[in-house]
Amino acid sequence: MAGVRAGGGRLAVQSAVWATVPPQVGYALTERGRSLLHVVRDLAGRADAHAQEISRSRVEYDATKD
């Protein structure tokens, strides 16, 4: 592994870079990132539950841009 960056523990995602050709990068959640999973899952669930309403609103909004 060529390097690992985690921003001194301040970031939610840690990246690792491998010195291959082409270069490869891997990502993993830090402890802080894992602590946010419930928030992200709740937000995704709300978006899923309201998908039709969101889609309808996008269509209405796009119609006003012409």
Side-chain angles (χ1 to χ4, degrees):
M1 186 173 0
V4 175
R5 298 185 329 180
R10 294 175 304 207
L11 301 177
V13 177
Q14 172 180 323
S15 65
V17 180
W18 289 271
T20 59
V21 177
Q24 294 180 335
V25 181
Y27 298 93
L29 291 174
T30 62
E31 184 60 37
R32 177 167 287 178
R34 286 188 295 277
S35 75
L36 295 171
L37 277 176
H38 72 282
V39 174
V40 173
R41 286 185 179 132
D42 286 348
L43 184 59
R46 286 172 97 27
D48 221 18
H50 298 279
Q52 288 182 343
E53 182 182 346
I54 292 167
S55 181
R56 197 169 35 253
S57 293
R58 284 181 181 161
V59 168
E60 289 172 8
Y61 175 79
D62 287 345
T64 64
K65 296 180 92 177
D66 292 335

